[in-house]
Amino acid sequence: MKHDKAPDRPVDVSHVKDAVPRVEPKSRGGNKSPYTVLGKSYYVMSSSQGYNETGTASWYGKKFHGHKTSNGEIYDMYGMSAAHKSLPLPTYLRVTNLANGRQVIVRVNDRGPFHGKRLIDLSYAAASKLDFLKHGTAKVRLEAIDPKAWQRSKGIVSSAVANPQPSVAGRYLQVGAYSSRNSAEYVEEQLRPVLNDLAVIIRPVTGSSGRTLYRVQVGPLRSSTSLSELTNQVEQMGYSNPRLVDYP
């Protein structure tokens, strides 16, 4: 895909929840400092504590959906995430659209934007909830969130924060495989508003015959994910043969 764009059909993301701040170690990937993009060097901040900045936000979508972010995760344009040039990965931010007062909480797990003077690239879902998809950019205020303080304010016990459930690397629930990418995208768009906490990914696979199948997968699954509940949920939506698949 040469140019980035939104989904082919508008997607209702009103049910997508804000990112939930939790204490996490710095990502093993994406925190090298300095790093160079397009001949320019960027320096990663040692901490996000006290970060507060106003500038221009843009958003990124379908071109990058399903591809790896700078810290090695999979970009989900229907999740609440963002890309920033210098904040440590991950960082949780409260983002306010100064034109309408709308706010979201996102988790920064990617690098960018490297275009003009834009300060942050938000996911499709975050930009939609801030109501600037059509305009393309918005003036926003970014405020770093201290996960410990945020959890205390919500009455969440510290032990749950200090010991987040790890991911089960490379394990996905495959919903189906389709010969048409449009069919796969339709399934993806049906699943995304329902499976708020997990990414829905389209993975093209070309066989020896040259035929490409578009596999729709949910994951990567976490140790806290109830596989039976997830399978039942998918089956109740009409997808009768979900199966576990592993990737290295």
Side-chain angles (χ1 to χ4, degrees), residues 1-8 59-68 75-78 110 124 181 185 188 202:
M1 189 181 296
K2 187 174 181 180
H3 300 291
D4 198 6
K5 62 179 182 178
D8 293 335
W59 61 273
Y60 63 132
K62 194 171 180 178
K63 180 179 180 179
F64 302 93
H65 184 64
H67 295 273
K68 284 189 176 182
Y75 173 58
D76 176 12
M77 66 178 173
Y78 302 112
D110 207 357
Y124 169 86
R181 186 173 186 98
E185 289 177 352
E188 174 199 30
I202 297 176

Side-chain angles (χ1 to χ4, degrees), residues 65-159:
H65 184 64
H67 295 273
K68 284 189 176 182
T69 62
S70 295
N71 73 344
E73 297 173 355
I74 301 297
Y75 173 58
D76 176 12
M77 66 178 173
Y78 302 112
M80 299 299 285
S81 65
H84 192 279
K85 292 186 284 287
S86 58
L87 284 168
L89 305 182
T91 290
Y92 291 90
L93 291 175
R94 178 178 290 104
V95 185
T96 304
N97 185 341
L98 297 178
N100 57 25
R102 293 193 181 190
Q103 292 186 333
V104 296
I105 295 176
V106 298
R107 180 175 177 269
V108 180
N109 66 350
D110 207 357
R111 290 292 173 219
F114 303 110
H115 177 76
K117 296 182 179 180
R118 295 175 185 177
L119 184 60
I120 192 169
D121 254 353
L122 297 170
S123 65
Y124 169 86
S128 177
K129 297 187 82 169
L130 290 175
D131 195 26
F132 72 89
L133 282 177
K134 292 182 179 179
H135 189 267
T137 61
K139 188 174 183 181
V140 297
R141 180 172 62 251
L142 308 181
E143 302 168 273
I145 295 174
D146 178 346
K148 287 183 179 179
W150 189 91
Q151 296 278 4
R152 286 196 300 268
S153 72
K154 302 298 180 182
I156 301 174
V157 295
S158 58
S159 59

Side-chain angles (χ1 to χ4, degrees), residues 188-220:
E188 174 199 30
E189 291 173 6
Q190 294 298 306
L191 291 169
R192 180 74 305 242
V194 177
L195 305 176
N196 291 331
D197 297 329
L198 292 169
V200 183
I201 297 164
I202 297 176
R203 198 186 300 271
V205 177
T206 303
S208 57
S209 65
R211 181 190 180 199
T212 299
L213 288 177
Y214 299 90
R215 298 176 178 177
V216 180
Q217 299 171 349
V218 177

Side-chain angles (χ1 to χ4, degrees), residues 24-29 31 44-48 71 87-90:
E24 297 182 75
K26 287 184 180 179
S27 301
R28 299 178 75 176
N31 282 311
V44 178
M45 299 162 58
S46 59
S47 170
S48 62
N71 73 344
L87 284 168
L89 305 182

